[in-house]
Amino acid sequence: MRLPERIVLATNNPKKLAELRRMLEAGGVGVEVLGLSDLPRYPEPAETERTFEGNAFLKATAAAAETGLVAVADDSGLEVAELNGMPGVRSARWAGPACDDEDNNALLLAQLDGVPAERRTARFVCALAMVTPDGERRVWHGRMPGRIAEAPTGDGGFGYDPLFLPAGLDVSSAELTPAEKDSISHRGIAVSAFVSYLAELES
């Protein structure tokens, strides 16, 4: 594969789009990144797979087929040990299909009510898939261990970030700067590996 001039990130999440653009720029990779809002609408596939990797490939495959561009998509989520690895692939819809981040966080806190700190271990997981129009497929993974706080702190990030305390830190993911989060987060690790792959194509 040759370095593409443009790629599409199969998401409507502006923060994920900004994250990939920021990390590509930091890595010196001159690729334009489009989001789904930059392109004609198409029916997005339902996330019916039982793994992060499977759902990431569903989204990337559809985007490559519909746009004719190299497409990347991530599926990320939170795995809580006390909840047997849930919410997992249902992280974004944990409190129901019409829920928002606040609803998800409230439900998670309710489910962990009374659980002591030593049993609140968790990790964020990311699978970042790439699919080309001619069918080439690659995937990169990232994980960030930590634990769930008893109350949200910070106003950065999104999702469960205000509740997640990365291992070795006394602040939540929502209290980290974008650069700090990029360097240790599950998605940051996966995106960094993808950026390195593109940089090799460029050289």
Side-chain angles (χ1 to χ4, degrees), residues 43-69:
E44 296 178 51
E47 297 179 27
T48 55
E49 295 292 325
R50 300 180 66 181
T51 65
F52 295 111
E53 183 174 317
N55 283 323
F57 271 122
L58 278 179
K59 293 182 281 189
T61 299
E66 293 286 346
T67 67
L69 297 172

Side-chain angles (χ1 to χ4, degrees), residues 1 12 46 69 86 94 99-100 117 122 126 128 134 143 160 179 195:
M1 174 175 144
N12 289 297
L69 297 172
M86 299 298 284
W94 191 228
C99 66
D100 58 17
C126 172
L128 180 71
D134 61 4
R143 294 173 179 81
Y160 298 94
V195 171

Side-chain angles (χ1 to χ4, degrees), residues 5-137:
E5 293 183 4
R6 298 192 302 170
I7 62 175
V8 56
L9 178 62
T11 186
N12 289 297
N13 186 322
K15 294 186 177 181
K16 288 186 178 183
L17 190 61
E19 179 182 58
L20 179 54
R21 287 172 173 165
R22 181 175 66 243
M23 293 185 70
L24 283 169
E25 183 178 358
V29 178
V31 174
E32 181 184 3
V33 183
L34 304 176
L36 292 182
S37 62
D38 300 315
L39 298 163
R41 293 179 62 87
Y42 63 84
E44 296 178 51
E47 297 179 27
T48 55
E49 295 292 325
R50 300 180 66 181
T51 65
F52 295 111
E53 183 174 317
N55 283 323
F57 271 122
L58 278 179
K59 293 182 281 189
T61 299
E66 293 286 346
T67 67
L69 297 172
V70 173
V72 288
D74 89 283
D75 196 41
S76 304
L78 181 68
E79 296 179 339
V80 180
E82 185 74 6
L83 302 179
N84 296 315
M86 299 298 284
V89 295
R90 294 191 53 81
S91 291
R93 308 174 299 279
W94 191 228
C99 66
D100 58 17
D101 290 347
E102 188 175 341
D103 296 328
N104 286 330
N105 284 324
L107 176 58
L108 181 62
L109 284 177
Q111 290 171 324
L112 294 178
D113 184 40
V115 176
E118 65 270 16
R119 286 170 39 202
R120 299 173 78 95
T121 56
R123 66 178 184 176
F124 274 124
V125 178
C126 172
L128 180 71
M130 181 194 78
V131 176
T132 69
D134 61 4
E136 182 179 344
R137 292 158 53 98

Side-chain angles (χ1 to χ4, degrees), residues 120-200:
R120 299 173 78 95
T121 56
R123 66 178 184 176
F124 274 124
V125 178
C126 172
L128 180 71
M130 181 194 78
V131 176
T132 69
D134 61 4
E136 182 179 344
R137 292 158 53 98
R138 290 178 179 266
V139 64
W140 297 268
H141 296 273
R143 294 173 179 81
M144 179 168 62
R147 60 187 176 87
I148 304 301
E150 294 186 0
T153 55
D155 55 9
F158 54 94
Y160 298 94
D161 282 346
L163 289 180
F164 189 82
L165 305 175
L169 300 179
D170 293 323
V171 296
S172 76
S173 290
E175 296 176 276
L176 300 176
T177 67
E180 289 171 336
K181 186 179 174 186
D182 289 348
S183 69
I184 65 169
S185 79
H186 54 306
R187 196 161 36 250
I189 292 168
V191 170
S192 180
F194 172 61
V195 171
S196 295
Y197 167 75
L198 292 181
E200 291 178 5

